[in-house]
Amino acid sequence: MACEDTICAVATPSGVGGVAIVRISGSKSLQIGKSLLLDAHSDAHSDAHSDVHFVPRHVYYGSISSLDYVLATYFEAPNSYTGEDVVEISCHASPYILQKILSLCTDAGARMATAGEFTKRAFLNGKLDLSQAEAVADIISSDNAASHRLALQQLRGGLSNEMTVLRENLLHLTSLLELELDFGEEDVEFASREELVKLLKEIRERATSLCNSFTLGNAIKEGIPVAIIGKPNVGKSTLLNALLREERALVSDVAGTTRDSIEDTLVINGVKFRFIDTAGLRDSNDVVEKMGVSRTYEKMRQAAIWLYVFDVTEMTVGDVMAEVRDIAVPSPSQKIILVGNKCDLLSGEAFENHECIFISAKNSEISTLQKKLLELSGADNINQDAVILTNVRHYEVLSKVIEETNQAINALEDHVSTDILAQHLHTALNHIGKITGKILPADILSNIFGKFCIGK
Ligand SMILES: Nc1nc2c(ncn2[C@@H]2O[C@H](COP(=O)(O)OP(=O)(O)OP(=O)(O)O)[C@@H](O)[C@H]2O)c(=O)[nH]1
Ligand SMILES: [Mg+2]
């Protein structure tokens, strides 16, 4: 799909720096690049353009008329990021110079690119499918090893491959059914019903395991939510500060210091966690504290891991376990770590209990807890090749695929007519097409690429 316009934008972050890149893409980019660039070795003050002969993927040193010395690279279609002719000009990163170069480009017939337009063109020209284009945004925003690994896996086509397999299996099923529909009058069944159900269940299983991976994938991308909970004054806020290595939350010996929940993220060994310090759990008549406690319960529901903190000078592990059961039961996907704090006050005692981690938040003795968090995060055990969903759009679309396969299985088991069955499979195929971009409702593209930055 050829785009008419030639577009330009600064592809590097805004601000002052060593080098910045202006990217030009479209049929006029070579002509524009040539019109801008003077041979650096010729007299920069003369306006005689040298006829630089751009060889694709070679770097040229030149000047842009009394503005700057630059390097320019030409990528010939289709061997470029967008699949179109592209010229990239590296200049000094001065907002003034960049603005000038852009206006020279627009004077020469380019227009300013919109957000994500380069990547959108890459998608439209078949350089990437939609899930890979989305991975470009993820890889740019990845800020830790684990989320980077998942984005790279998606960019390399991990999810696309999964979708291809699902699609092929569905197509195979559809073709079996369509054969029957062609012979509709004669009431023949070409495929055994058991066989069809078996195939459908395999498809459902594959889609379900992908959907199930979303909880972990999303946590890795956004930070694994860890709620720090427990009674007032046990040292929850001190622990948050120790984890973050900054005085983030107020600490005092007054019970009920923390009222609102406080959140911050931290990367431990390449895995991002989102720690949430909460108001201490107790019955209170204070209206604000009550609101804080109900917010604590809300945060507990959203968390993947609970750190249940207690004061070792006040309670034994046995008491704590009974107390936790009274407060709330984590859901099967949630994990709980019992954290005995203030160990410094019981010097000389040996703390050992496999149910519990012992720390001194005040003295920042928390390394065993950090280790345990990494272990429970699950991020370390992800198989290198595993495809993990990180994008809520993919999750929602795949949930619909599962719904359609369920309905198809029910239809088969209820001996509903073949054309209704085929209808469910077609709908499931359409949904899969929305992930790869083979099927595109009008709003999807602008939604996805609108979230990119300009220049990407
Ligand atoms: N000795 C000792 N004191 C601690 C430790 N951790 C916290 N404290 C003290 O315990 C008191 C309460 O600490 P906070 O961190 O405010 O406790 P909290 O659980 O956040 O309390 P609320 O916000 O009121 O629920 C403060 O005086 C802290 O200095 C520790 O490891 N050792
Ligand atoms: Mg507190």
Side-chain angles (χ1 to χ4, degrees), residues 231-238 249-252 254 256-260 262 277-280:
K231 287 186 168 170
N233 248 345
V234 294
K236 299 179 296 302
S237 301
T238 311
L250 283 179
V251 165
S252 86
V254 178
T257 304
T258 307
R259 299 191 154 203
D260 208 348
I262 301 172
D277 179 23
T278 63

Side-chain angles (χ1 to χ4, degrees), residues 83-100:
E84 305 173 328
D85 275 352
V86 168
V87 171
E88 288 185 357
I89 298 173
S90 307
C91 61
H92 293 105
S94 130
Y96 171 74
I97 293 173
L98 287 165
Q99 216 42 57
K100 280 283 178 191

Side-chain angles (χ1 to χ4, degrees), residues 57-111:
R57 287 184 277 179
H58 281 61
V59 181
Y60 291 91
Y61 175 53
S63 72
I64 291 184
S65 173
S66 56
L67 192 61
D68 196 7
Y69 290 96
V70 302
L71 294 174
T73 319
Y74 165 51
F75 301 90
E76 188 178 31
N79 300 316
S80 70
Y81 181 67
T82 57
E84 305 173 328
D85 275 352
V86 168
V87 171
E88 288 185 357
I89 298 173
S90 307
C91 61
H92 293 105
S94 130
Y96 171 74
I97 293 173
L98 287 165
Q99 216 42 57
K100 280 283 178 191
I101 295 179
L102 285 178
S103 54
L104 288 171
C105 290
T106 50
D107 288 349
R111 72 160 167 80

Side-chain angles (χ1 to χ4, degrees), residues 81 116-124 128 133 136 449 452 456:
Y81 181 67
E117 198 171 4
F118 292 107
T119 308
K120 184 174 170 181
R121 288 190 173 193
F123 162 67
L124 292 174
L128 304 159
V136 172
F449 292 105
F452 277 67
K456 189 62 234 178

